[in-house]
Amino acid sequence: MQTSLSTSPLPVPVQDGAVVTASLRVDLVEDSAGLEALHPEWRGLLKASGVDCLFMSWEWLGTWWKHVSAGRRLHILAVRRDGRLIGIAPWALRPAQPGRLVPFRALEFMGMGDIGSDYLDLIARPEDESDVVKAVGDYLEKHRMFIEFQRVKHSSQRVATLVSRLDQAGWQTQQLITENCAYLDLKGHTWKSYLSTVSRAHRANVNRRLRRLKESFQSVEFQKVTDEATRIACFKDFAHLHALRWSGDERSTAFTGPDVMAFHEDFSRLALERGWLRLYVLRLDGKAVASTYSFRYGDVFYYYQAGYDPAYCSYSVGLSTLAMAIEQSIEEGITEIDFLHGEEEYKALWTRTRRDLERAQCFPPNIYGVMYRKAMDVRRGIKRLIRWPNRLREAQA
């Protein structure tokens, strides 16, 4: 369902310097039918925007809505000029969470929760960004909804401009860098030239581990999924290896629960159809021992999740699988490996470059906004108290 919310006349310059008035309309999309109807326009607009990435795709966010939206309500703003889609605010309303001291519902980007979406943003063509931000800002000022935007690229001018506008309108705003994404810039590199950029010790270790696999096993196969039957079989291998990897003291929630598994089953199928899926399985003498579940979108390889059999740790099968995936990516012409958010130590072996992600919170200028912000301050204080004993133990270690 789409509800027309507002229209506003905007000046639009034309080639001869004259100014004409165009009608700008904001439609609210609140259900699956409305989301489905946006699909063709969404893909074209995203491709033309400056934020085109896997996690902003209709396929990723639509699959999220279908399987893991967890009680949220769609609240997508579609901005149109004379009927033509020029911007999308891909948002959802998160319900109140009294048990977590979150007293009211809040507006956030689609894709939040258990699937690890990064680089969330507003979608607009570069030439339309200011008009889209203005239209979205007008809507927020009118409806005064609590806002919590997470995993936004710190360099996003669209979100920064929107937050600044609300701040000037009397809202209380907070922006904080919370995480970063390590990435490899592979432009112009061969596998050999890229390895020359890492430390001598890591380069020697990678070469030694790859050589040992060939010396220790009669068959070393690095299988890439290329068809649906293989996807089904290899995804089962990956899920099993991921569970083995996290079966010890360390735990992961990345692939737990039927809803999350349904999301990945559905999205991996779509990704294969689109040519995005990069699901690899390392087999030693025919046995699946390590796997990476990743995606190629454009010229970027998103290293999403991995798993391995701890029984083969002495062969460093996790490291070897990642090395093979990077080498394969370079051969494909991929120009970047994105390790996504997380502070895992292995990332520093491969790269020192990072992109910051931020959280932006905006509280409307009314009593509810004041109450919400105070609740967030209390919640942060409790979290600090909970973490304090662990930090004290670390300092004393």
Side-chain angles (χ1 to χ4, degrees), residues 35 48 60 74 83 161 180 227 251 268 281 284 292:
L35 176 60
W60 180 269
L74 278 182
T161 303
N180 62 61
D227 59 72
R251 295 293 175 183
S268 64
V281 177
L284 301 178
T292 173

Side-chain angles (χ1 to χ4, degrees), residues 270-322:
L270 278 174
L272 178 62
E273 292 175 2
R274 302 290 189 269
W276 303 343
L277 184 63
R278 293 299 181 271
L279 176 54
Y280 295 109
V281 177
L282 175 62
R283 300 185 188 278
L284 301 178
D285 291 345
K287 179 178 174 59
V289 300
S291 178
T292 173
Y293 170 51
S294 301
F295 308 96
R296 175 182 182 169
Y297 186 91
D299 291 332
V300 180
F301 180 97
Y302 294 99
Y303 186 71
Y304 186 73
Q305 284 287 344
Y308 60 83
D309 186 341
Y312 289 79
C313 274
S314 61
Y315 295 99
S316 296
V317 290
L319 179 147
S320 298
T321 301
L322 176 52

Side-chain angles (χ1 to χ4, degrees), residues 55 60 111-118 151 304 340-341:
F55 305 109
W60 180 269
M112 296 308 302
D114 296 327
I115 60 169
S117 308
D118 289 334
R151 294 188 181 147
Y304 186 73
L340 305 174
H341 72 270

Side-chain angles (χ1 to χ4, degrees), residues 113-115 242 246 250-257 260 264 305:
D114 296 327
I115 60 169
H242 187 271
W246 297 101
E250 295 180 290
R251 295 293 175 183
S252 170
T253 60
F255 287 85
T256 56
V260 172
H264 288 294
Q305 284 287 344

